[in-house]
Each structure stands twice: as C-alpha cells, then as structure tokens.
Amino acid sequence: MSLQQELHYGHFIDGQDYLGHTPESIDVINPANGEVYATMSMGDKGDVDAAVAAAKRAFNQPSWREMSNNDRGDLLFKCGQVIGAHAEELMFIESRDSGGTIRRAAGMDIPIVIDLIGYYADLIKTTNNIVDLPTKPLPEAGHAQVWQEPIGVCALITPWNFPIFIAVAKIIPALAAGNTVVIKPSEYTPASTTHLVQLLSDVLPKGVLNVVNGDGASVGEALTTHPDVGKVSFTGSTCVGKHIQKMATESCKLVGLELGGKGPAIVMKDADLDLAAYGITFGGLFNSGQACESGTRILVHEAIHDQLMEKLAAVCDTLVVGNPLDPATSYGPIANKNQYDRIMGYIDGAKQQGLTFVCGGEPIKPKGFEGGYYVQPTIITDVKNDMDIAQQEIFGPVLSVIKFSDEQQAIEIANETSYGLSAGVWSDDLVHAQKIAKQLQAGSIWINDWHMLRSDAPFGGYKNSGIGREFGIAGLQAFMQTKTIGVSLERDPRNKMMWSLLHTSPQQ
Ligand code: NAD
C-alpha cells in the first residue's frame, strides 16, 4: 500500500477524531486520475447519535450559550485566520477530492471563504439580538421585546462540487447565530470538510463543530430525522432536497434547501458579442459546469445566433481541460464517475436526436490522466425548450442553445422551467435589461456577467431551486429563531381590557 492510500478520513466528534463504532469504510477516488487515494469511514445512526449528543452538550454549555456577540465575532475571525494559515493544504486537498482546479481554489474558494467569515464576524458583532417594540400607551401599558435566539443543533448536509465553500457558507452563519453543528459532506468528497473541521477545532470549543462521514441513506437520513436536530440546512439535488423536507417535517424541523438550477441566459440583439462569448462560457463551463447557478440554457436572438456560435466555439477552443493541479488548467475532471456517465448520457441523447453540436461532445483523455473523467466544452444548438437537455440539470460542461425571435418569447422560455436559481441578460441597454430582469423568476439575476455571488447578497432559489436564502443578513437569520417576550406594566386588573372578556368585576 502506498503512503497516499494509507490516508483515512474518519469522523470528528466532541473535539476529537473518531473512527466510528463500525469498521465499515469506502474508497475515496481522485477524479483527476480515477485512482483510490484514501478511505472514508461509513458512519451510521450510532455515529450520528454520538455527534448530535456532543453538539447538544456543547450548545447547553453556558460558555457557548452566553457568549457575547462580540466574542463570537472574534472567534469567527480566528476561524478565518486558521483557514488563511492552512490555505495551501486546504486547496490541495480540495482539488484532489473534488477535481476542482487549484486555480479556482486559490482565486475563489479561499478568498471568498475568508471574505464570508469576515462578513459574518462583523455582522454578528453589530447584531442586537433583542429589539424593543414601542411601549403601548396607558391605561394598559405593555412592553414587548423580540429576541433572536439560536436554534440548537444544526445538521448541515453538503454536495461535492464546492465542498469547502459550501461547508463554510453554512458553518459560519450557524455558529455566528450561536448554534452548534454536525456536518455531513458528500461521500464523494469527505476530505476537505473533515480536514477543515479538524483545523477549526483548534479555536472552537469541543463539540461545537462535528463531522460525520457517510452516505445519504444512513448518515443523511439519521441527521434529518434526529429528534435533537433543530434545523437541517441542505445543499444538493432537488430530488434529495424534497425528500429531506418530507422527512424533516415529521419532527417539525426548520429546513433550508439550496437545490439545483438550469439558469437561462438571454442574449439580446444589442449584446456585446465578444463580452457575451467569454461571459457565457464563464457562466456555464466554470468548474466543469458543476455549479448549481450556472447559466446553461442560452437563449439567443436569432439575428445574432450564427455570429455568437462562431465566437463561442472559438472561445471554447482556447480552454485547457486537464490536470486540476496545473495553474494553467481552465477546468478539471467531472467530480465522480457517476456524474461523468450521466453527462455523457445527455450528450449521447442529443446526438441521437440529431441536434447540432457547435463544439465538443466527446470525452477527453489528457496525457498522464487517462483514468480521469474529463468532458470537452460542449455547446449544442437548435435545442427546443421542452427537450431533456433544456429542462434537466446536466451539471457538466454542456450548454443548450435555444433561439428566440422576440423579447417576450425569450422571457417566457426563460421562465418555462421548474428551476429558479439564476438567470441573466446580455445586453448593452442596461435600463432595458433591468426591465427584463424584473420579469425573470429566479433568486439571482445577473446582467452582463455571471456567478456574481457576494457575502452580503442573499442567494437562493425560486420554485424547485430551494427554500430560504444563504449569505447576507438573511443567511444569519436562517439560523435563528424568534421569541417575543411581553411584559405588562398594568397592575390594576380592572384596566386589563382583555381580562374583561372573562371577568366581570375584577377586584383591585
Ligand atoms: P445530492 O443531492 O445527491 O447529495 C447532496 C448531499 O445529500 C450529499 O451529502 C449526500 O450524501 C446527501 N444525501 C443524499 N441522499 C440523502 C438522503 N436521503 N438524506 C439525507 N441526505 C442525503 O447532490 P450532489 O450530487 O452531491 O450535488 C449536486 C447537486 O447539488 C446538483 O443538483 C446541484 O445543483 C446542487 N447544488 C446546489 C447548490 C445551491 O446552492 N443551490 C450548490 C451546489 C450544488
């Protein structure tokens, strides 16, 4: 066995590594070359019980419950410092785990995660958890306060496409609000989240942040149905999200769902086509197209269709697909074999339908990485909006182009989808583009760009793309619950107006 194969990712519970109470483990595969590089403990309900119990104990510790917002903010800043100090190893682990490029990890994941932590650290320091409502006038003077409180133990379930980023986007607001956490990363990408939790344990009290590795059927379901879990925050596919919501309903848990997308990008006649060609490919092919808010339905005015297709093909020609650890690589492998097979299935289906391939449509076998899961940048045109490749989330480097002849038609096509995570407009008329944006049914609309996520801007889906919002103030409030405390200042029972509904002659 090589040194690399000796790597094992277990659980992390109550401030320490924990292998789990069963010896079961599965292989972890590097998608860049298809090789097993580690093993992962397959957790079960018993491991979830242990982690939730640790998180519950930590939540009930006065030192955690009564920590001031100022101290909590300081603690979060320390988390950011830990991540900054270990950025290189986290980037490498993330790349090997998920196939994301080191260029992405260095240019996006680490900076955005540190920015997000700084944002929530600042936000919680200036958050007042108690708001006084105006006192009601005499004779029945009353006073009410609205308290924002943590929920308790939060279960975070994450996917494989941006493991660290999505984990941090949930962990940090959950901790900022005063909760404790059990996180379950995707079974395809356990490494970076487990390592991140281990690193953060240097600054966090024990039991506040726990990780249980395993698959959805065992660990995911056990978390979702656990009576001591107060909130489930899930990012993943719409189908699993709906299932989680049903299960969590049984015990009245709060549920946040960040689900799939099929973002429409409307390219108007007046768009700057060079800008659009680079932007559309950035919007749809970044991270091998494995981003929920990618722009993957490209709605193009028929007058500019041919010209834009030429430009898109030329831009795709310049993309370098291969070794994710090479800083020159544009995008790396698909994150796992199942997903690769799914993508190739959609591409083969489009070929069988006789659709026009502007470019791509084949796997790639980069030299030295022949065992990895690489797909060419693929653009398919003459697509109709009711076809599978226009309606279903492919989650790969595949763009479906649909022609339109007038603006109203484009808006209708854009909205004819069960998803509503992102949408966009390419146009030189910014005022008019905003009028179009108003009519698009999606949580994020971008004009002349894509993936414009910000720490302070709420992000989430309309329709089947989710429930609730992450990032911004909404992202913090999603991990809080509200309590109203009413104090009556009236001591004379005769002046209590509502009491007269029951009592006829109260004595003073
Ligand atoms: P997935 O739904 O298969 O899995 C996501 C997570 O859920 C994994 O940790 C998995 O183990 C777990 N899971 C699976 N079955 C479960 C069950 N029955 N109970 C509890 N947990 C269960 O998704 P994926 O394939 O890992 O990720 C890709 C999907 O995620 C895409 O649809 C993508 O659009 C979506 N996604 C959405 C966002 C967003 O912010 N909206 C971000 C990234 C990815």
Side-chain angles (χ1 to χ4, degrees):
M1 185 185 271
S2 75
L3 233 189
Q4 285 214 332
Q5 281 174 313
E6 283 169 21
L7 266 181
H8 180 79
Y9 292 96
H11 318 300
F12 190 87
I13 298 177
D14 213 13
Q16 55 190 329
D17 290 319
Y18 173 71
L19 280 179
H21 68 278
T22 64
E24 208 188 326
S25 66
I26 59 166
D27 291 338
V28 185
I29 293 168
N30 177 352
N33 55 23
E35 289 172 10
V36 175
Y37 78 92
T39 49
M40 176 198 93
S41 293
M42 269 297 267
D44 63 9
K45 187 177 173 311
D47 301 320
V48 168
D49 286 345
V52 173
K56 191 177 170 186
R57 274 194 306 277
F59 181 70
N60 288 324
Q61 286 294 319
S63 54
W64 179 254
R65 282 205 82 144
E66 284 152 30
M67 186 180 282
S68 70
N69 282 351
N70 196 49
D71 289 351
R72 235 181 258 295
D74 286 342
L75 199 57
L76 295 186
F77 275 125
K78 281 189 197 152
C79 291
Q81 283 164 353
V82 169
I83 292 176
H86 294 270
E88 282 205 16
E89 76 204 50
L90 283 167
M91 279 157 42
F92 172 74
I93 294 172
E94 182 78 328
S95 179
R96 185 172 56 182
D97 212 23
S98 68
T101 59
I102 204 83
R103 185 168 164 185
R104 183 204 92 191
M108 187 203 98
D109 300 26
I110 297 294
I112 206 171
V113 150
I114 291 188
D115 184 67
L116 196 82
I117 294 175
Y119 169 75
Y120 278 115
D122 277 338
L123 182 65
I124 197 61
K125 274 172 175 276
T126 53
T127 294
N128 185 353
N129 293 60
I130 303 174
V131 174
D132 283 311
L133 298 184
T135 303
K136 283 198 174 172
L138 293 166
E140 194 181 343
H143 176 230
Q145 287 182 330
V146 180
W147 288 27
Q148 298 256 276
E149 296 191 328
I151 296 163
V153 178
C154 295
L156 315 180
I157 302 177
T158 54
W160 40 256
N161 55 341
F162 293 94
I164 292 184
F165 171 39
I166 294 175
V168 170
K170 292 181 188 299
I171 291 170
I172 294 300
L175 299 186
N179 301 285
T180 56
V181 163
V182 179
I183 185 165
K184 188 204 95 58
S186 166
E187 56 274 37
Y188 290 112
T189 52
S192 54
T193 305
T194 309
H195 191 63
L196 175 78
V197 170
Q198 287 165 333
L199 290 174
L200 295 182
S201 75
D202 279 351
V203 291
L204 292 171
K206 74 174 186 159
V208 161
L209 178 59
N210 309 274
V211 60
V212 181
N213 278 306
D215 63 10
S218 52
V219 174
E221 300 232 354
L223 279 170
T224 309
T225 52
H226 199 293
D228 288 335
V229 167
K231 164 148 189 167
V232 180
S233 174
F234 169 81
T235 296
S237 58
T238 295
C239 156
V240 173
K242 285 181 176 176
H243 177 67
I244 283 180
Q245 192 186 12
K246 274 192 208 139
M247 289 193 302
T249 300
E250 284 296 308
S251 50
C252 282
K253 292 185 196 332
L254 295 164
V255 178
L257 301 176
E258 295 289 344
L259 308 176
K262 192 76 189 176
I266 300 177
V267 194
M268 302 296 287
K269 236 185 334 188
D270 64 355
D272 175 333
L273 294 191
D274 289 314
L275 181 76
Y278 280 101
I280 288 167
T281 44
F282 170 64
L285 304 178
F286 173 60
N287 199 40
S288 321
Q290 303 170 116
C292 49
E293 32 69 89
S294 294
T296 49
R297 280 189 305 146
I298 317 303
L299 280 41
V300 182
H301 194 285
E302 58 192 5
I304 49 154
H305 172 271
D306 293 356
Q307 208 189 342
L308 181 62
M309 292 309 112
E310 263 179 44
K311 288 182 188 288
L312 285 171
V315 171
C316 284
D317 234 18
T318 65
L319 298 178
V320 181
V321 182
N323 177 9
L325 291 175
D326 182 341
T329 298
S330 308
Y331 69 77
I334 304 306
N336 57 68
K337 174 83 166 53
N338 280 348
Q339 182 58 16
Y340 169 83
D341 290 341
R342 246 186 103 233
I343 295 167
M344 291 314 297
Y346 279 111
I347 290 176
D348 290 344
K351 285 181 182 167
Q352 278 161 22
Q353 282 177 290
L355 295 175
T356 310
F357 279 66
V358 176
C359 61
E362 299 297 331
I364 309 180
K365 298 281 165 205
K367 202 165 176 322
F369 293 85
E370 289 80 0
Y373 318 128
Y374 301 88
V375 178
Q376 284 182 333
T378 300
I379 300 180
I380 307 169
T381 191
D382 296 332
V383 173
K384 301 287 173 240
N385 198 39
D386 59 359
M387 291 177 175
D388 280 356
I389 58 163
Q391 289 297 323
Q392 292 175 15
E393 188 183 39
I394 301 174
F395 223 54
V398 182
L399 307 184
S400 304
V401 179
I402 302 169
K403 288 183 209 159
F404 68 85
S405 49
D406 72 70
E407 183 180 310
Q408 209 45 47
Q409 186 196 13
I411 294 167
E412 277 165 25
I413 296 172
N415 289 336
E416 268 170 22
T417 163
S418 61
Y419 292 114
L421 193 56
S422 66
V425 184
W426 295 89
S427 167
D428 266 2
D429 184 342
L430 297 186
V431 174
H432 194 72
Q434 289 185 48
K435 282 193 180 152
I436 297 175
K438 205 171 165 208
Q439 297 172 73
L440 296 175
Q441 297 160 0
S444 295
I445 317 280
W446 296 306
I447 296 170
N448 291 337
D449 205 341
W450 214 272
H451 301 302
M452 293 176 72
L453 271 64
R454 297 171 50 132
S455 298
D456 57 352
F459 174 78
Y462 281 31
K463 303 193 268 185
N464 279 355
S465 287
I467 297 177
R469 294 291 178 270
E470 294 191 343
F471 306 108
I473 296 171
L476 179 67
Q477 285 171 342
F479 285 102
M480 290 174 156
Q481 56 190 340
T482 306
K483 177 188 278 176
T484 303
I485 299 186
V487 181
S488 176
L489 306 178
E490 180 53 67
R491 315 276 307 172
D492 182 347
R494 292 167 303 181
N495 286 340
K496 302 241 188 205
M497 277 182 283
M498 291 299 280
W499 290 18
S500 70
L501 300 179
L502 182 73
H503 302 295
T504 34
S505 51
Q507 304 291 315
Q508 198 189 359

